[in-house]
C-alpha cells in the first residue's frame, strides 16, 4: 500500500510538473493584436481553457476583420464554432504540405462534445496543389471555403497556431446544441466511469467545474470565467486512464484500493498546494 501510494503520488507529481510547463493560448495569441477578437472569443467561451488542457493541438485563427460571420451567434453556438477551430492533433505548415494523400480529415474539439452530427466535428484539409491548403467542414455537402494563410506560432509538437482566411461554420451547427449526442468521442479510450456524465441535450453551457476528479490543476485558477465544457475537452483522455493498478485486484480488495486512492488524492492535493506556493 505504501509502495502503491508512493508510485501514484510520483505519477501525479510528474503529471503536475509537466502541466506547469504547459502553454497558454491566451498568452501566445496575446502577442498579435490582429487576433485579439478571436482570442477574446476563445476566452469568453471557455475554449481557451480546453485548449490549455491538451498536449497535442492545432488552433486555427482568423483575423479580427474577418470575424463578422460570428456576429449575433448565441454563446453556445459561438463556443461550438470556436471548438471547430481546434484540431486534436499537431499540424504545422510542413506537415500540411506533406500530407500523404494530399488530404486529411481531422477531429476537432467540437467532436468531443457529443453534439456533432455527420462529421460536423471533423475538418477536411486538402492540398489543392502548389502548396495551397484549403480547409472546411468534413460533413457531406460542405465546401472547403477557407485557406491556410500562415503559421503564427508553434511549440513542436504540442501546439501549432495557424492563421486561416475565414471562419469555418459547419452547416446546421446553430441547432447542434439541441440534438442528442450521436457521435462517440474520438479519443475516449474505453468505457469509463465518466459515462454517467453524458450530457442531457441541454442548450446551455454547464458552468460546473472540471469533470475529472483526479486533476485539481494549479494552472486553472477559479478566477477563470469559463463556462467550461461539460464533457467537452475530456481532460481524462490524456490522463491516468492507464495509471498502474494496484497489484492485487480481487473484488474483495476494492475497498482497500479505494482507501489507498483516497490517501493518494490527499497527497496529490497537498502537492498541488505546495506547487502553487512555489511557482
Ligand atoms: C508535449 O507533448 C508531449 C507528448 O505528447 C508531452 O509529453 C508533453 O508533456 C507536452 N508538453 C506540454 C508543455 O504540454
Ligand atoms: C493564461 O494567460 C492569461 C493572460 O495572459 C491569464 O489570465 C490566464 O489565467 C492564463 N491561464 C492559465 C491556465 O495559466
Ligand atoms: C491514402 O489513400 C489510400 C487509398 O485511398 C489509403 O489506403 C490510405 O490509408 C491513405 N493514407 C492515409 C495516410 O490517409
Ligand atoms: C476533403 O474534401 C475534398 C473535396 O471535397 C475531397 O475530395 C476529399 O476526399 C476530402 N478528404 C477527406 C479525407 O475526406
Amino acid at each position: 500500500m505504501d509502495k502503491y501510494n508512493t508510485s501514484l503520488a510520483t505519477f501525479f507529481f510528474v503529471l503536475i510538473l509537466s502541466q506547469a510547463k504547459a502553454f497558454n493560448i491566451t498568452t501566445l495569441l496575446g502577442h498579435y493584436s490582429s487576433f485579439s477578437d478571436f482570442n477574446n472569443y476563445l476566452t469568453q467561451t471557455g475554449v481557451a481553457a480546453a485548449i490549455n488542457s491538451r498536449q497535442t493541438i492545432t488552433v486555427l485563427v482568423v483575423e479580427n476583420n474577418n470575424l463578422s460571420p460570428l456576429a449575433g451567434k448565441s454563446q453556445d453556438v459561438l463556443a461550438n464554432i470556436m471548438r471547430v477551430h481546434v484540431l486534436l492533433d499537431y499540424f504545422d505548415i510542413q506537415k500540411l504540405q506533406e500530407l500523404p494523400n494530399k488530404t486529411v480529415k481531422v477531429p476537432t474539439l467540437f467532436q468531443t462534445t457529443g453534439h456533432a452530427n455527420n462529421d460536423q466535428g471533423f475538418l477536411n484539409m486538402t492540398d489543392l496543389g502548389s502548396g495551397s491548403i484549403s480547409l472546411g467542414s468534413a460533413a457531406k455537402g460542405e465546401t472547403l471555403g477557407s485557406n491556410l494563410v500562415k503559421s503564427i506560432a508553434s511549440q513542436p509538437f504540442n501546439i501549432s497556431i495557424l492563421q486561416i482566411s475565414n471562419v469555418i461554420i459547419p452547416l446546421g451547427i446553430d441547432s447542434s446544441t439541441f440534438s442528442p449526442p450521436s457521435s462517440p468521442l474520438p479519443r475516449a479510450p474505453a468505457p469509463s466511469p465518466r459515462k454517467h456524465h453524458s450530457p442531457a441535450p441541454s442548450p446551455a453551457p454547464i458552468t460546473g467545474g472540471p469533470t475529472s476528479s483526479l486533476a485539481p490543476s494549479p494552472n486553472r485558477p477559479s478566477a477563470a470565467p469559463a463556462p467550461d465544457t461539460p464533457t467537452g475537452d475530456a481532460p481524462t483522455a490524456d490522463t491516468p486512464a492507464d495509471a498502474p493498478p494496484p497489484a492485487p485486484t480481487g473484488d474483495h480488495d476494492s475497498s482497500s484500493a479505494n482507501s489507498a486512492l483516497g490517501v493518494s488524492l490527499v497527497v496529490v492535493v497537498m502537492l498541488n498546494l505546495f506547487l502553487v506556493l512555489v511557482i
Side-chain angles (χ1 to χ4, degrees), residues 145-168:
S146 194
N147 295 305
L148 179 64
V149 177
K150 62 175 186 279
S151 176
I152 301 301
S154 66
Q155 286 178 20
F157 295 89
N158 292 105
I159 184 169
S160 168
I161 304 176
L162 301 174
Q163 180 186 352
I164 60 173
S165 60
N166 304 97
V167 289
I168 299 170

PDB file of all heavy atoms in Angstrom, residues 145-168:
ATOM      1  N   GLY A 145     -14.045  26.219 -47.766  1.00  0.00           N
ATOM      2  CA  GLY A 145     -14.147  27.653 -48.008  1.00  0.00           C
ATOM      3  C   GLY A 145     -13.116  28.519 -47.319  1.00  0.00           C
ATOM      4  O   GLY A 145     -13.211  29.739 -47.352  1.00  0.00           O
ATOM      5  N   SER A 146     -12.140  27.905 -46.691  1.00  0.00           N
ATOM      6  CA  SER A 146     -11.130  28.698 -46.001  1.00  0.00           C
ATOM      7  C   SER A 146      -9.752  28.247 -46.475  1.00  0.00           C
ATOM      8  O   SER A 146      -9.583  27.104 -46.899  1.00  0.00           O
ATOM      9  CB  SER A 146     -11.259  28.490 -44.483  1.00  0.00           C
ATOM     10  OG  SER A 146     -10.518  29.465 -43.785  1.00  0.00           O
ATOM     11  N   ASN A 147      -8.800  29.147 -46.420  1.00  0.00           N
ATOM     12  CA  ASN A 147      -7.456  28.806 -46.879  1.00  0.00           C
ATOM     13  C   ASN A 147      -6.427  29.074 -45.794  1.00  0.00           C
ATOM     14  O   ASN A 147      -6.542  30.026 -45.020  1.00  0.00           O
ATOM     15  CB  ASN A 147      -7.082  29.641 -48.109  1.00  0.00           C
ATOM     16  CG  ASN A 147      -7.963  29.327 -49.289  1.00  0.00           C
ATOM     17  OD1 ASN A 147      -8.093  28.179 -49.705  1.00  0.00           O
ATOM     18  ND2 ASN A 147      -8.630  30.351 -49.805  1.00  0.00           N
ATOM     19  N   LEU A 148      -5.422  28.227 -45.794  1.00  0.00           N
ATOM     20  CA  LEU A 148      -4.295  28.442 -44.888  1.00  0.00           C
ATOM     21  C   LEU A 148      -3.560  29.709 -45.300  1.00  0.00           C
ATOM     22  O   LEU A 148      -3.254  29.897 -46.479  1.00  0.00           O
ATOM     23  CB  LEU A 148      -3.356  27.234 -44.960  1.00  0.00           C
ATOM     24  CG  LEU A 148      -2.107  27.294 -44.101  1.00  0.00           C
ATOM     25  CD1 LEU A 148      -2.464  27.323 -42.624  1.00  0.00           C
ATOM     26  CD2 LEU A 148      -1.205  26.108 -44.401  1.00  0.00           C
ATOM     27  N   VAL A 149      -3.307  30.595 -44.344  1.00  0.00           N
ATOM     28  CA  VAL A 149      -2.583  31.832 -44.661  1.00  0.00           C
ATOM     29  C   VAL A 149      -1.123  31.700 -44.240  1.00  0.00           C
ATOM     30  O   VAL A 149      -0.220  31.764 -45.063  1.00  0.00           O
ATOM     31  CB  VAL A 149      -3.245  33.044 -43.966  1.00  0.00           C
ATOM     32  CG1 VAL A 149      -2.446  34.316 -44.249  1.00  0.00           C
ATOM     33  CG2 VAL A 149      -4.686  33.190 -44.432  1.00  0.00           C
ATOM     34  N   LYS A 150      -0.905  31.487 -42.951  1.00  0.00           N
ATOM     35  CA  LYS A 150       0.483  31.325 -42.487  1.00  0.00           C
ATOM     36  C   LYS A 150       0.520  30.791 -41.059  1.00  0.00           C
ATOM     37  O   LYS A 150      -0.505  30.733 -40.376  1.00  0.00           O
ATOM     38  CB  LYS A 150       1.233  32.652 -42.554  1.00  0.00           C
ATOM     39  CG  LYS A 150       0.678  33.755 -41.675  1.00  0.00           C
ATOM     40  CD  LYS A 150       1.606  34.982 -41.739  1.00  0.00           C
ATOM     41  CE  LYS A 150       1.211  36.076 -40.769  1.00  0.00           C
ATOM     42  NZ  LYS A 150       0.102  36.923 -41.266  1.00  0.00           N
ATOM     43  N   SER A 151       1.702  30.409 -40.664  1.00  0.00           N
ATOM     44  CA  SER A 151       1.889  29.966 -39.283  1.00  0.00           C
ATOM     45  C   SER A 151       2.071  31.195 -38.397  1.00  0.00           C
ATOM     46  O   SER A 151       2.781  32.144 -38.751  1.00  0.00           O
ATOM     47  CB  SER A 151       3.126  29.078 -39.189  1.00  0.00           C
ATOM     48  OG  SER A 151       3.358  28.735 -37.844  1.00  0.00           O
ATOM     49  N   ILE A 152       1.407  31.176 -37.247  1.00  0.00           N
ATOM     50  CA  ILE A 152       1.528  32.295 -36.313  1.00  0.00           C
ATOM     51  C   ILE A 152       2.529  31.974 -35.214  1.00  0.00           C
ATOM     52  O   ILE A 152       3.368  32.789 -34.858  1.00  0.00           O
ATOM     53  CB  ILE A 152       0.152  32.634 -35.688  1.00  0.00           C
ATOM     54  CG1 ILE A 152      -0.851  32.996 -36.781  1.00  0.00           C
ATOM     55  CG2 ILE A 152       0.272  33.770 -34.671  1.00  0.00           C
ATOM     56  CD1 ILE A 152      -0.432  34.175 -37.642  1.00  0.00           C
ATOM     57  N   ALA A 153       2.446  30.778 -34.683  1.00  0.00           N
ATOM     58  CA  ALA A 153       3.371  30.360 -33.625  1.00  0.00           C
ATOM     59  C   ALA A 153       3.291  28.856 -33.490  1.00  0.00           C
ATOM     60  O   ALA A 153       2.306  28.242 -33.888  1.00  0.00           O
ATOM     61  CB  ALA A 153       3.001  31.024 -32.291  1.00  0.00           C
ATOM     62  N   SER A 154       4.344  28.262 -32.938  1.00  0.00           N
ATOM     63  CA  SER A 154       4.262  26.828 -32.683  1.00  0.00           C
ATOM     64  C   SER A 154       5.256  26.428 -31.605  1.00  0.00           C
ATOM     65  O   SER A 154       6.281  27.077 -31.413  1.00  0.00           O
ATOM     66  CB  SER A 154       4.516  26.024 -33.951  1.00  0.00           C
ATOM     67  OG  SER A 154       5.837  26.204 -34.387  1.00  0.00           O
ATOM     68  N   GLN A 155       4.885  25.389 -30.894  1.00  0.00           N
ATOM     69  CA  GLN A 155       5.788  24.725 -29.961  1.00  0.00           C
ATOM     70  C   GLN A 155       5.735  23.249 -30.324  1.00  0.00           C
ATOM     71  O   GLN A 155       4.894  22.520 -29.828  1.00  0.00           O
ATOM     72  CB  GLN A 155       5.317  24.911 -28.505  1.00  0.00           C
ATOM     73  CG  GLN A 155       5.537  26.299 -27.935  1.00  0.00           C
ATOM     74  CD  GLN A 155       5.009  26.431 -26.511  1.00  0.00           C
ATOM     75  OE1 GLN A 155       4.824  25.438 -25.817  1.00  0.00           O
ATOM     76  NE2 GLN A 155       4.760  27.645 -26.074  1.00  0.00           N
ATOM     77  N   PRO A 156       6.613  22.839 -31.249  1.00  0.00           N
ATOM     78  CA  PRO A 156       6.539  21.454 -31.729  1.00  0.00           C
ATOM     79  C   PRO A 156       6.739  20.475 -30.564  1.00  0.00           C
ATOM     80  O   PRO A 156       7.619  20.720 -29.732  1.00  0.00           O
ATOM     81  CB  PRO A 156       7.693  21.334 -32.716  1.00  0.00           C
ATOM     82  CG  PRO A 156       8.104  22.746 -33.012  1.00  0.00           C
ATOM     83  CD  PRO A 156       7.739  23.562 -31.820  1.00  0.00           C
ATOM     84  N   PHE A 157       6.046  19.398 -30.478  1.00  0.00           N
ATOM     85  CA  PHE A 157       4.889  19.039 -31.283  1.00  0.00           C
ATOM     86  C   PHE A 157       3.655  19.110 -30.401  1.00  0.00           C
ATOM     87  O   PHE A 157       2.823  18.227 -30.406  1.00  0.00           O
ATOM     88  CB  PHE A 157       5.093  17.643 -31.868  1.00  0.00           C
ATOM     89  CG  PHE A 157       6.243  17.604 -32.829  1.00  0.00           C
ATOM     90  CD1 PHE A 157       7.525  17.340 -32.406  1.00  0.00           C
ATOM     91  CD2 PHE A 157       6.027  17.903 -34.173  1.00  0.00           C
ATOM     92  CE1 PHE A 157       8.575  17.343 -33.303  1.00  0.00           C
ATOM     93  CE2 PHE A 157       7.085  17.894 -35.071  1.00  0.00           C
ATOM     94  CZ  PHE A 157       8.350  17.620 -34.643  1.00  0.00           C
ATOM     95  N   ASN A 158       3.564  20.164 -29.640  1.00  0.00           N
ATOM     96  CA  ASN A 158       2.459  20.324 -28.707  1.00  0.00           C
ATOM     97  C   ASN A 158       1.371  21.242 -29.256  1.00  0.00           C
ATOM     98  O   ASN A 158       0.226  20.857 -29.339  1.00  0.00           O
ATOM     99  CB  ASN A 158       2.966  20.877 -27.370  1.00  0.00           C
ATOM    100  CG  ASN A 158       3.825  19.871 -26.637  1.00  0.00           C
ATOM    101  OD1 ASN A 158       5.038  19.992 -26.585  1.00  0.00           O
ATOM    102  ND2 ASN A 158       3.181  18.856 -26.088  1.00  0.00           N
ATOM    103  N   ILE A 159       1.764  22.474 -29.617  1.00  0.00           N
ATOM    104  CA  ILE A 159       0.735  23.383 -30.109  1.00  0.00           C
ATOM    105  C   ILE A 159       1.227  24.121 -31.342  1.00  0.00           C
ATOM    106  O   ILE A 159       2.386  24.559 -31.398  1.00  0.00           O
ATOM    107  CB  ILE A 159       0.266  24.386 -29.031  1.00  0.00           C
ATOM    108  CG1 ILE A 159      -0.890  25.241 -29.569  1.00  0.00           C
ATOM    109  CG2 ILE A 159       1.420  25.236 -28.519  1.00  0.00           C
ATOM    110  CD1 ILE A 159      -1.607  26.079 -28.527  1.00  0.00           C
ATOM    111  N   SER A 160       0.333  24.219 -32.313  1.00  0.00           N
ATOM    112  CA  SER A 160       0.601  24.984 -33.514  1.00  0.00           C
ATOM    113  C   SER A 160      -0.562  25.950 -33.692  1.00  0.00           C
ATOM    114  O   SER A 160      -1.722  25.570 -33.521  1.00  0.00           O
ATOM    115  CB  SER A 160       0.703  24.032 -34.711  1.00  0.00           C
ATOM    116  OG  SER A 160       0.693  24.753 -35.927  1.00  0.00           O
ATOM    117  N   ILE A 161      -0.242  27.189 -33.997  1.00  0.00           N
ATOM    118  CA  ILE A 161      -1.290  28.179 -34.253  1.00  0.00           C
ATOM    119  C   ILE A 161      -1.156  28.613 -35.710  1.00  0.00           C
ATOM    120  O   ILE A 161      -0.119  29.148 -36.114  1.00  0.00           O
ATOM    121  CB  ILE A 161      -1.158  29.403 -33.323  1.00  0.00           C
ATOM    122  CG1 ILE A 161      -1.171  28.949 -31.857  1.00  0.00           C
ATOM    123  CG2 ILE A 161      -2.279  30.400 -33.585  1.00  0.00           C
ATOM    124  CD1 ILE A 161      -0.943  30.083 -30.866  1.00  0.00           C
ATOM    125  N   LEU A 162      -2.193  28.347 -36.480  1.00  0.00           N
ATOM    126  CA  LEU A 162      -2.178  28.650 -37.906  1.00  0.00           C
ATOM    127  C   LEU A 162      -3.262  29.661 -38.228  1.00  0.00           C
ATOM    128  O   LEU A 162      -4.395  29.539 -37.756  1.00  0.00           O
ATOM    129  CB  LEU A 162      -2.434  27.375 -38.720  1.00  0.00           C
ATOM    130  CG  LEU A 162      -1.460  26.215 -38.541  1.00  0.00           C
ATOM    131  CD1 LEU A 162      -1.951  24.986 -39.305  1.00  0.00           C
ATOM    132  CD2 LEU A 162      -0.058  26.607 -39.019  1.00  0.00           C
ATOM    133  N   GLN A 163      -2.900  30.639 -39.035  1.00  0.00           N
ATOM    134  CA  GLN A 163      -3.920  31.592 -39.492  1.00  0.00           C
ATOM    135  C   GLN A 163      -4.621  31.032 -40.722  1.00  0.00           C
ATOM    136  O   GLN A 163      -3.970  30.548 -41.659  1.00  0.00           O
ATOM    137  CB  GLN A 163      -3.288  32.942 -39.846  1.00  0.00           C
ATOM    138  CG  GLN A 163      -4.326  33.957 -40.316  1.00  0.00           C
ATOM    139  CD  GLN A 163      -3.699  35.260 -40.812  1.00  0.00           C
ATOM    140  OE1 GLN A 163      -2.496  35.473 -40.677  1.00  0.00           O
ATOM    141  NE2 GLN A 163      -4.525  36.118 -41.390  1.00  0.00           N
ATOM    142  N   ILE A 164      -5.956  31.097 -40.718  1.00  0.00           N
ATOM    143  CA  ILE A 164      -6.729  30.742 -41.908  1.00  0.00           C
ATOM    144  C   ILE A 164      -7.541  31.965 -42.332  1.00  0.00           C
ATOM    145  O   ILE A 164      -7.739  32.895 -41.543  1.00  0.00           O
ATOM    146  CB  ILE A 164      -7.645  29.524 -41.675  1.00  0.00           C
ATOM    147  CG1 ILE A 164      -8.647  29.788 -40.551  1.00  0.00           C
ATOM    148  CG2 ILE A 164      -6.802  28.288 -41.357  1.00  0.00           C
ATOM    149  CD1 ILE A 164      -9.695  28.680 -40.388  1.00  0.00           C
ATOM    150  N   SER A 165      -7.987  31.960 -43.582  1.00  0.00           N
ATOM    151  CA  SER A 165      -8.577  33.180 -44.135  1.00  0.00           C
ATOM    152  C   SER A 165      -9.964  33.486 -43.571  1.00  0.00           C
ATOM    153  O   SER A 165     -10.286  34.646 -43.315  1.00  0.00           O
ATOM    154  CB  SER A 165      -8.661  33.060 -45.663  1.00  0.00           C
ATOM    155  OG  SER A 165      -9.459  31.944 -46.019  1.00  0.00           O
ATOM    156  N   ASN A 166     -10.778  32.442 -43.380  1.00  0.00           N
ATOM    157  CA  ASN A 166     -12.181  32.647 -42.990  1.00  0.00           C
ATOM    158  C   ASN A 166     -12.587  31.710 -41.869  1.00  0.00           C
ATOM    159  O   ASN A 166     -12.050  30.613 -41.772  1.00  0.00           O
ATOM    160  CB  ASN A 166     -13.116  32.360 -44.175  1.00  0.00           C
ATOM    161  CG  ASN A 166     -12.772  33.183 -45.388  1.00  0.00           C
ATOM    162  OD1 ASN A 166     -12.071  32.702 -46.273  1.00  0.00           O
ATOM    163  ND2 ASN A 166     -13.231  34.413 -45.412  1.00  0.00           N
ATOM    164  N   VAL A 167     -13.565  32.141 -41.089  1.00  0.00           N
ATOM    165  CA  VAL A 167     -14.091  31.232 -40.068  1.00  0.00           C
ATOM    166  C   VAL A 167     -14.823  30.079 -40.749  1.00  0.00           C
ATOM    167  O   VAL A 167     -15.405  30.235 -41.834  1.00  0.00           O
ATOM    168  CB  VAL A 167     -15.042  31.946 -39.071  1.00  0.00           C
ATOM    169  CG1 VAL A 167     -14.262  32.861 -38.165  1.00  0.00           C
ATOM    170  CG2 VAL A 167     -16.134  32.689 -39.786  1.00  0.00           C
ATOM    171  N   ILE A 168     -14.775  28.923 -40.114  1.00  0.00           N
ATOM    172  CA  ILE A 168     -15.447  27.730 -40.637  1.00  0.00           C
ATOM    173  C   ILE A 168     -16.681  27.477 -39.773  1.00  0.00           C
ATOM    174  O   ILE A 168     -16.564  27.232 -38.568  1.00  0.00           O
ATOM    175  CB  ILE A 168     -14.502  26.514 -40.597  1.00  0.00           C
ATOM    176  CG1 ILE A 168     -13.280  26.790 -41.480  1.00  0.00           C
ATOM    177  CG2 ILE A 168     -15.241  25.249 -41.028  1.00  0.00           C
ATOM    178  CD1 ILE A 168     -12.168  25.769 -41.332  1.00  0.00           C
TER     179      ILE A 168
END
